[in-house]
Amino acid sequence: MTTQPRNERLEDALVRDPEISEQLLRWYDQTARDLPWRKSSDPYAIWVSEIMLQQTRVETVRPYYTRFLERFPDVFALASAEEEDVLSLWSGLGYYSRARNLRRGAGVVAETHDGRFPRSRSEALAIPGIGPYTSAAILSIAYELPFAVVDGNVARVLARVCRLDVPLQRKASFLEAQAEALLSKERPGDHNQAMMELGATVCVPRDPRCDLCPIGEHCQAHVDGVVDAYPSPPPRKETVALELVLFLVVDRAVGATERLLLERGNWPLIRHLWIPPIVESAGGPPDSSDAGQQGWANAWNRWTRHRAKGLEVGGWSHLGSIRHSITHHRIRFQVVEGTLQSAPSDLWATRDDLTVATERAREELGRSSLLTKALALRDRVKGRKQLEFPI
Ligand code: SF4
């Protein structure tokens, strides 16, 4: 293949050489790692493995995958399982919403598709927890349907093969089109797995092992000797400073077990995690007008107004502040503790974005580093004089 000229209109510059797929598949046939989920063409088993592998290392997933399939061998077994049982088998794997969605998804497949994973992309995408990547992976590997996957590994390989001169995040549609253009129509499942394998084992983020690469002669970055420059780094965003108040609202109503109020989905930067309630600090950094019981009560009222009217909290105590970074946001949280005094009687039963959770339940909901920091601060100041204010 001749080197593709770099083109201002990247969408017109798709590499379409079928030799790339042929060489990739030959390499995959000879070197593919022996992984338990590769022994199966059962869409359910492939689905389980793809969900477990999201943001989790292969070696971590292996024992969980085997145990999970022994306990829930098919869609019907998972669909009829108690959520608690599914979560306990998932315990330690993290990102517990994956397990909840998998169980919900099994319910949909059991009820709507007679237990058979659908072959249509749109029906697959309608299943809870299944997005473009997962649907392409399952449909191609289980049914040999021609959908190309683009995960982080594949995107990196393509960026190097095509010398893509813009950050990957800006070129999702180009990457999808490029992945489709290279896809083997005879063995799309193996082709997808080979691309992912190449990114995971050879075309790694730092110091790719180009001497072992089966498609090195087609890789523009390698041929031009500029591999280190790809993928292009994302543009640096300007740092944004935020001042927020974080509420550790304690519910001691049930026996001696302390429960903490947590919410999910309200804060745009941390939508997927269960975290304590947060509001913006009135007028930026806290000042004397924010201090004291009335100041914290006012801040709490701002939260309840939007999130849950009728949640009465008192006995506010300012514990100090913590710093936390999320993407380009540098956030200072004033951490205040209060005691839950009353809540509408039907609140916990009617809201799936609010809960009061014991320490054990919090583990199952997934650990947020923000909550861990706030609780560590509380542990430090417990029994000690409240930190000076303002900080
Ligand atoms: S030649 Fe190197 S940079 Fe190019 S795809 Fe192969 S491993 Fe990646």
Side-chain angles (χ1 to χ4, degrees), residues 26-312:
R26 264 200 300 279
W27 168 80
Y28 182 70
D29 290 340
Q30 289 162 8
T31 63
R33 289 172 292 176
D34 181 20
L35 302 174
W37 42 90
R38 288 189 175 155
K39 296 179 174 43
S40 173
S41 58
D42 173 8
Y44 168 71
I46 292 162
W47 179 14
V48 170
S49 72
E50 287 298 334
I51 299 296
M52 285 188 170
L53 286 164
Q54 287 170 5
Q55 295 167 55
T56 311
R57 292 173 53 245
V58 161
E59 290 312 317
T60 307
V61 166
R62 269 181 198 264
Y64 281 90
Y65 171 81
T66 307
R67 278 198 299 269
F68 199 89
L69 283 190
E70 277 167 11
R71 180 75 184 276
F72 308 117
D74 55 39
V75 164
F76 295 109
L78 181 57
S80 59
E82 294 294 330
E83 184 177 282
E84 241 175 52
D85 293 341
V86 178
L87 289 175
S88 94
L89 218 56
W90 203 275
S91 181
L93 204 51
Y95 303 103
Y96 294 88
S97 58
R98 292 181 301 175
R100 287 196 188 84
N101 279 335
L102 187 58
R103 177 176 162 275
R104 284 175 53 219
V108 171
V109 173
E111 281 172 27
T112 316
H113 303 287
D114 289 333
R116 280 189 297 277
F117 196 90
R119 298 175 72 94
S120 117
R121 187 85 187 268
S122 58
E123 286 179 326
L125 284 167
I127 297 170
I130 294 199
Y133 162 78
T134 314
S135 60
I138 299 169
L139 295 175
S140 64
I141 298 170
Y143 298 141
E144 295 290 1
L145 292 171
F147 296 111
V149 300
V150 182
D151 68 351
N153 283 330
V154 174
R156 183 172 57 254
V157 174
L158 293 177
R160 288 169 172 164
V161 168
C162 306
R163 277 195 71 176
L164 190 59
D165 274 326
V166 290
L168 301 181
Q169 298 82 344
R170 297 224 189 120
K171 274 295 164 195
S173 56
F174 173 78
L175 288 168
E176 279 163 22
Q178 179 58 77
E180 298 279 353
L182 290 178
L183 186 69
S184 160
K185 301 297 177 281
E186 291 74 40
R187 297 173 61 192
D190 285 344
H191 174 105
N192 280 333
Q193 294 193 82
M195 282 294 277
M196 292 190 277
E197 184 94 344
L198 186 69
T201 62
V202 175
C203 195
V204 290
R206 288 199 187 158
D207 300 327
R209 301 157 73 191
C210 301
D211 51 327
L212 300 177
C213 182
I215 56 170
E217 66 183 288
H218 303 290
C219 173
Q220 293 179 36
H222 177 56
V223 169
D224 296 346
V226 290
V227 165
D228 289 347
Y230 295 88
S232 303
R236 284 182 75 84
K237 286 190 181 162
E238 228 169 89
T239 302
V240 175
L242 290 174
E243 294 281 349
L244 305 176
V245 182
L246 180 151
F247 301 102
L248 289 177
V249 173
V250 179
D251 175 17
R252 296 193 176 89
V254 181
T257 309
E258 175 188 284
R259 303 191 300 176
L260 269 186
L261 176 64
L262 300 177
E263 67 166 338
R264 186 166 66 166
N266 181 36
W267 196 249
L269 297 171
I270 333 176
R271 278 211 191 282
H272 56 293
L273 290 177
W274 286 93
I275 55 172
I278 290 167
V279 290
E280 287 188 34
S281 205
D287 54 30
S288 55
S289 66
D290 252 349
Q293 292 287 317
Q294 191 53 49
W296 302 125
N298 290 344
W300 176 251
N301 289 339
R302 290 203 298 279
W303 182 84
T304 52
R305 210 174 299 140
H306 298 292
R307 297 291 290 153
K309 289 198 176 100
L311 263 178
E312 301 289 339

